[in-house]
Amino acid sequence: MKSAPVLVTGFEPFGGDVVNPSAEIARALDGRVIAGRSVIGAVLPCVFQTSTPELARLLRRHCPAVVIATGLAGGRAEITPERVAINLDDARIPDNAGAQPIDLPVVRGGPAAYWSRLPIKAIVAALRERGIPAAVSQTAGTFVCNHVFYALMHALRRQPGLKAGFIHVPGLPGQVRRGQPSLSQAKMIEAIEIAIEATLVARVGRSETGGTLA
Ligand code: PCA
């Protein structure tokens, strides 16, 4: 039997940018085999309304064993596995369809937050060991990345063994303003490969964080 794949998503460019390194990560890893599992890479629209149905379609179609969603966090210097997705859309800028939700829940009536079910500390350790800057992030923001992260964890709430979460990446050298931190595309692709490997060897995908959140 074919083993369930790893799904890696990225986002199309947004906010006036012409590139999004997370889209290139998804494209580069699509079709690769990592630790015996095939990788499906897909690029999501940076649109509140259509990103989550598209994600749901990918989950239905591929029934992945692991889901790593990625996105760009301009200004960050490190690869940052996110710890928590919050039930809030509060957009600083319009999305690619011109929508700018303010103070709205991602899922009406949903829990306030979901923990990541990726081994976030193990991923950070594995990346640092390979010389790639990495740190756990305590917030994925309140834009489309957090929206997709929350919708992902909500969709998988009844499949607690499934490892899933979100990783933000820095901007590319040619993309950020002078003096801002950046990372090369090749390093980012390597970083997500390492994150996949670290996730596959980790214990079943429950949250590393205690407490009573979902
Ligand atoms: N970054 C944005 C949305 C898409 C992306 O790549 C964010 O952090 O919300």
Side-chain angles (χ1 to χ4, degrees):
M1 210 182 85
K2 249 182 93 188
S3 56
V6 175
L7 175 65
V8 175
T9 67
F11 278 102
E12 63 184 13
F14 66 101
D17 274 345
V18 293
V19 286
N20 188 328
S22 69
E24 301 312 317
I25 291 169
R27 289 196 186 104
L29 294 182
D30 185 43
R32 293 262 270 271
V33 176
I34 298 177
R37 299 234 177 216
S38 55
V39 179
I40 312 277
V43 179
L44 298 175
C46 188
V47 174
F48 283 97
Q49 217 191 341
T50 55
S51 54
T52 42
E54 175 62 18
L55 175 70
R57 197 184 63 78
L58 289 165
L59 295 175
R60 271 197 312 274
R61 174 155 175 222
H62 299 293
C63 297
V66 172
V67 185
I68 300 185
T70 70
L72 165 67
R76 288 195 190 167
E78 294 151 321
I79 301 285
T80 44
E82 297 291 347
R83 190 191 291 269
V84 61
I86 62 174
N87 193 11
L88 175 65
D89 290 338
D90 195 41
R92 183 179 47 83
I93 55 170
D95 70 10
N96 286 359
Q100 192 168 4
I102 306 286
D103 294 341
L104 289 176
V106 180
V107 175
R108 214 174 305 132
Y114 287 103
W115 298 122
S116 173
R117 285 198 251 131
L118 295 178
I120 52 176
K121 294 276 172 79
I123 290 172
V124 167
L127 291 172
R128 287 184 180 165
E129 207 169 286
R130 304 275 278 271
I132 298 177
V136 168
S137 164
Q138 318 297 354
T139 174
T142 54
F143 194 49
V144 185
C145 286
N146 174 73
H147 180 83
V148 159
F149 182 17
Y150 185 93
L152 170 67
M153 303 316 294
H154 189 72
L156 302 179
R157 67 194 181 284
R158 294 196 229 293
Q159 291 154 268
L162 212 147
K163 297 168 183 174
F166 197 98
I167 301 180
H168 263 120
V169 299
L172 293 165
Q175 176 175 41
V176 299
R177 264 178 281 124
R178 229 207 308 210
Q180 289 250 335
S182 66
L183 199 64
S184 76
Q185 185 72 71
K187 279 273 172 234
M188 294 192 204
I189 294 166
E190 188 190 341
I192 301 306
E193 279 185 70
I194 293 168
I196 293 170
E197 283 164 9
T199 301
L200 287 172
V201 300
R203 279 179 307 145
V204 182
R206 61 185 185 78
S207 152
E208 286 184 336
T209 309
T212 53
L213 282 192

